[in-house]
Amino acid sequence: MSHILPPLLAAARQLAATVQLGAHGRRRAGLGDEFWQYRAAHQGDEARAIDWRRSARADAHFVREREWQAAQSVHLWVDDARSMEFTGDDSRPVKADRARLLALALAVLLIRSGERVGLADPATPPRAGEVQLMRLAARLTAPAGEADYGAPEGRAMQPHARAVFISDFMGDPVAVETALTEAADRGVTGALLQVLDPVEEAFPYQGRTIFESMGGMLAHETRKAGDLRDRYLERLAERKDRLATLASRTGWQYSCHHTGDPAPGALLWLFHAMERLA
């Protein structure tokens, strides 16, 4: 490629290189020959993937998917809401930067292993190859959204695929429950990775403090921040337990990662989670 490698992709490749992988069993001869289903063509599908005979019988284009092709697809959703721009210390990355790095490094590992990786939206469907990594890097470095808190979107995920949702999950938990329930109904399994800054776990605040959302939509002032600590930690524990229970009920997996911890551990967990769901 003649263009410059995006910094995020360069960092993701470097992170992926630190993770030692064993043999990967996805490249198997003979798989992928059995017809699985027709699906509506998405933006970005190549013309050669379209079944023109089937499409001629309708007012839309259809792609003929094979069984293994659907099974080896992985969709990524990385929260781009304003809450992800938080860090409690300038020496640590903001949550969004760590989430993007982990997502793209996971894509590097999966594509090297023969998987097809995309985002959880119709604009970037799962594909294989180095060019797809460039597309993913471009999408993941797009400007952040305007909402204070993010909600996963999974309607474009292929049936029986796998998925990864990376977020602080500080928004409305009902939105996550709805997304995972809809995914499970379509046979999609995956992993939830909650990314938090260490101060969000420790709540070290004392005295007069103004708490304000990253987008400025919510604010709360108190003169005794320390008095809120126990209640906050209790609610955080309840949120994490709710996520873990939801993941277990829908056949997904859950883990929490702190931006103060080394990234390779979280990447290795994500990769093994995908392996266990294969």
Side-chain angles (χ1 to χ4, degrees):
M1 295 182 185
S2 59
H3 42 275
I4 298 173
L5 196 66
L8 176 61
L9 182 52
R13 291 186 190 279
Q14 184 176 10
L15 174 58
T18 67
V19 176
Q20 298 298 317
L21 304 177
H24 191 282
R26 300 295 287 179
R27 295 182 184 272
R28 301 185 207 171
L31 292 172
D33 294 332
E34 184 175 350
F35 171 70
W36 175 253
Q37 65 178 0
Y38 288 110
R39 67 164 174 81
H42 298 316
Q43 178 182 353
D45 282 330
E46 297 179 0
R48 63 183 180 180
I50 296 175
D51 190 302
W52 297 105
R53 180 176 298 179
R54 172 66 181 85
S55 301
R57 302 199 302 269
D59 295 328
H61 291 156
F62 289 89
V63 171
R64 182 184 178 91
E65 286 190 326
R66 301 186 186 280
E67 183 173 7
W68 195 242
Q69 182 184 51
Q72 69 177 353
S73 295
V74 179
H75 296 267
L76 306 174
W77 175 72
V78 182
D79 192 347
D80 67 349
R82 299 296 296 275
S83 68
M84 294 294 288
E85 298 299 321
F86 175 76
T87 180
D89 191 308
D90 290 342
S91 66
R92 292 192 294 270
V94 301
K95 293 182 289 184
D97 287 348
R98 178 58 60 85
R100 296 182 190 114
L101 175 62
L102 289 171
L104 195 56
L106 177 64
V108 170
L109 294 177
L110 292 173
I111 285 177
R112 284 178 181 172
S113 300
E115 310 281 9
R116 302 164 67 246
V117 184
L119 300 182
D121 63 59
T124 316
R127 289 179 175 177
E130 294 296 308
V131 173
Q132 179 71 346
L133 289 173
M134 298 290 291
R135 295 190 189 101
L136 294 173
R139 287 295 308 277
L140 290 173
T141 53
E146 295 299 321
D148 268 339
Y149 302 101
E153 173 58 63
R155 287 177 294 178
M157 293 191 299
Q158 298 176 6
H160 307 287
R162 288 166 292 156
V164 173
F165 291 172
I166 306 179
S167 171
D168 58 9
F169 297 110
M170 289 294 196
D172 184 1
V174 174
V176 183
E177 292 171 351
T178 299
L180 258 68
T181 300
E182 291 177 350
D185 289 344
R186 302 176 67 192
V188 177
T189 56
L192 301 176
L193 182 65
Q194 186 175 27
V195 177
L196 298 176
D197 187 273
V199 303
E200 292 176 312
E201 288 275 13
F203 199 85
Y205 308 106
Q206 297 289 336
R208 182 177 180 274
T209 306
I210 299 176
F211 297 99
E212 186 175 23
S213 64
M214 296 300 294
M217 300 294 292
L218 302 171
H220 175 73
E221 181 177 357
T222 179
R223 295 182 180 277
K224 298 180 178 180
D227 292 348
L228 302 176
R229 185 175 187 273
D230 289 345
R231 194 189 327 168
Y232 167 84
L233 293 179
E234 180 179 351
R235 293 191 65 178
L236 179 61
E238 290 174 353
R239 173 65 60 95
K240 294 168 76 172
D241 182 68
R242 185 171 180 174
L243 289 168
T245 300
L246 173 64
S248 177
R249 191 173 72 239
T250 55
W252 286 49
Q253 299 180 56
Y254 164 81
S255 184
C256 183
H257 170 69
H258 300 143
T259 55
D261 294 337
L267 176 59
L268 191 60
W269 181 85
L270 284 169
F271 185 81
H272 287 330
M274 293 296 97
E275 286 285 273
R276 289 190 291 269
L277 295 170

